[in-house]
Amino acid sequence: MARMIMLILLLTWATLHAEALQGKPAPKPLYRDSIYDGAADPVLCWNAQEHKWFMFYTNRRANIADAKGVSWVHGTPIGIAESADNGATWTYRCEANIDYKKGDDTYWAPEVIEHEGTYHMYLTYVPGIYSDWNHPRDILHLTSKNLIDWNYQSTLKLSSDRVIDACVFRLPDGTWRMWYNNERDGKSMYYADSNDLYTWTDKGKAPGQFRGEGPKVFEWQDTYWMVIDTWDGLGIYQSNDATTWTRQKDNLLKEPGTGPEDQVKGGHPDVVVSGGRAFLFYFTHPGRRGPEANKDTHEQRRSVIQVVELQYEDGQLTCDRDKPTFIDLKPRSVSAAKMQSVYEQARTPYKYGVVIAAPKDKMVDCPTVFRHRGAWYMVYIQFEDDPKGYTTQLARSRNLLDWEPLGTILPRGAEAQWDSAQAAGGIALCDLAWGGSYELQTFDGKYWLSYLGGSKPGYETPPLSIGLAHSENPAIAQPWQKLDNPILRPHDSDARVFEGRTLFKSNIFQDAEKTLGAPFVMFYNAAAVKGGERIGIAVSENMRDWKRFGAAPVIENYSAAGKPGISGDPQIVKMQDLWVMFYFGAFWRPGAFDTFACSYDLVNWTKWHGPDLVASSEPWEQQYAHKPWLVKQDGVVYHFYCAVGDKGRVIALATSEDLRK
C-alpha cells in the first residue's frame, strides 16, 4: 500500500513538474465555436492591451438549415476566441467588426500580425453568398488598435481576381513578404513584397512546384518553414532564403489521430513559435469519417480547432497528434500601461554630471557597472592616440558617485593578433535583477567579459569582431586572459544581413530558464554593409562556442524617411517577469539618446516611444548623451552614459533623485 501511494505521489509530481516546465495540457478539441460550429483557418495574435491571446478564424455556418451547395461556407464572419492562460483553453469572444461591407459579405482566412503598435489583417473577401466556388475573391488590408474593430485600408492588386489565404512574414532586411493562393493558376503559390505593409508589389509565382491552400511561413531551428494545406495533410517546405523552397517527403497530419474530434486529416494551419518551441494549430472536420463521411449535414460540415507541438528531427518537422500537448505561449508584446510603468521606474531626470573624465588627447566611452565584495566597479573603454584604437579600463567607487580609475584590464593584442588595434570590453554574466546584487556570476570558475576587437587602427575601423576574456579577480587592474580567436565575426558563414560590415558592443548574461534554448545569451549591435546598426542575438551552451539566433534583428529603427538609424549598446535587465533592454538610438531622430524596449520572451520586443531616458541638455553632453548602463541601488536609479560636449567624450551620470546637493 505504501509503495502504491509513493508511486501515485511520484506520478503526480512528474505531471505537475511537466506542466510547470511546459505549460498546461491542451484539451481535444482545443476549441469548438458556439455560434455556427464551424471554426476553421485559425490564426493567433497576442492582445497586449488585454494581456490575452486572440484566435481569429473563419466561422463557417455549419449549423444553418437548408443551405444550398456550399453557401454555408459563404456569408461567414470572422470569429474571435480568447485565452487568458497562455493558449491552453479558449472561449468565444465576439465577431471581428470589419468596416468593409457591401451586403452579403463573405470573409475567409484572416492573417493577423502586429507591427509597431498597429494590428494588420489581410483578409480574403468574396462579394456575396454563393452555392458554388466560381466567383471572384480579393485580399483586403485592414488595421486595428484593439483587434476587434477593423478599418479598411485597401484592396491589394495581386496576380488575378481569384486570390485567397494571405500569409505575411518579415524578412531579415526589414521588408515584408506575402504568400497567397492564386486560384487562376491551379491553386499555385504566389508572392508579393512590401516595405511598409501598405503598398505591395506582386512578384508572381513563388519558385518551386507546390499547390495548396493556407500557407504559413515561420522561422524555427535556423530555417524558414512553409506549411501548406495540400488536402492530404500538411505539406512541409523549408528554405534558407524564404525564396527557394524544398519539400519535405512526408506530410504532417495526413494520418488520422485517435483523440476526440481528431480522427481525420488536419487542415489550414497556423504556427506559433514561443519560448523556443513551435505549436501547430489546425482544424478538422470530425464528422467526415466512416460510412457517412460524404454526407452533407451539420455533422460533416462542422469543424474544430486542434493543436500539436512540432518536433525537429534530423532536419525534418514531425509531430505526434496523439501525444498530450502542454502549451505555454509567451506574450508577444507589452501593453502601453506596462511600458509607462517601466519608464517611471527607470527615468533619471537629474543630471549629476561627469564622473570619469578622459585623459589628455583621449576619449572614454561605454560604461558597464558591477559590484564585487562591497565595492562598485566600472569597466569602460578608452580611445588611445598612438596608434588610434580602444583599450579597456577599470575604475572603482564606494558610492556610485565618486570614481577612481585603476588602469587597463584589456590591452590591445600584439601586432600579428586579430585585436592588435582594438580591444573594447564590457562585463558579462552580471546579476540581471532590477535592484538586485549586480554581482558578477562565474562560469568554469572564472569571471568573463566580451569585447569588440580588430586589427585596423582608427575610430571603430571595420571589420570588428567579438571576442571573450576571463579573469579570476575582476577587481584588480591587470590584464584579463583572452581567448585566442573571436567568437563572432562579420564574415562568418552564418552572419546575417544586418551584421555584414562590423560587430559592436555585446552584453552576455546567463538565463537559467533557457528561454531561447541555451543558458548563455548575447545581445549585440552590428552594422550592415549598406549602413545602419541593429541589435541581434546569439546563444551558447558553454560560453566559448556561439550560434546566432534568428535570421533578423530584434531591434531596429528607421527615420521618417525610411533611412536606418543606429540602435546599439544593449543592456538587459529583468523586472519581475519582464525583460527590459536599455539601448541608445541615433540619427533616426535628431541627435543621440537613451531609450528602452520590453519583452516577455527575449525575441519579440515592444519599443518605447515616449520621452528619452537621457538626452542632450547640458554643456558636457551638448552633442551626444547616449550608451546606457543603469543600476538601481537603495531605491535610486543611477544611469551611466557617454557624454560628448565641451569636456570631450566622457562618462556622465544621471539619477532618479537629485544627488547633487
Side-chain angles (χ1 to χ4, degrees), residues 435-451:
S437 71
Y438 297 98
E439 299 277 353
L440 295 185
Q441 302 163 342
T442 60
F443 174 72
D444 198 21
K446 303 176 181 66
Y447 299 96
W448 296 82
L449 63 76
S450 59
Y451 70 100

Side-chain angles (χ1 to χ4, degrees), residues 285-296:
H285 284 289
R288 293 184 179 179
R289 62 188 181 94
E292 297 185 342
N294 295 323
K295 285 189 174 182
D296 187 23

Side-chain angles (χ1 to χ4, degrees), residues 563-616:
K563 182 178 179 180
I566 294 177
S567 304
D569 287 33
Q571 177 199 3
I572 308 295
V573 305
K574 196 74 179 290
M575 293 185 180
Q576 296 178 334
D577 65 335
L578 191 66
W579 298 96
V580 179
M581 180 199 301
F582 301 114
Y583 70 100
F584 86 91
F587 313 136
W588 38 277
R589 287 195 278 110
F593 44 86
D594 287 347
T595 185
F596 68 94
C598 297
S599 175
Y600 289 105
D601 62 3
L602 289 174
V603 176
N604 298 282
W605 291 86
T606 302
K607 291 182 284 189
W608 172 247
H609 295 291
D612 300 322
L613 293 177
V614 73
S616 299

Side-chain angles (χ1 to χ4, degrees), residues 19 68 71 108 257 346 409 415 417 422 545 549 583 590 634 639:
E19 290 187 21
K68 295 181 179 179
S71 61
W108 287 343
I409 61 171
E415 183 176 350
Q417 294 178 325
Q422 315 279 351
D545 302 304
F549 185 93
Y583 70 100
D634 294 333
H639 182 156

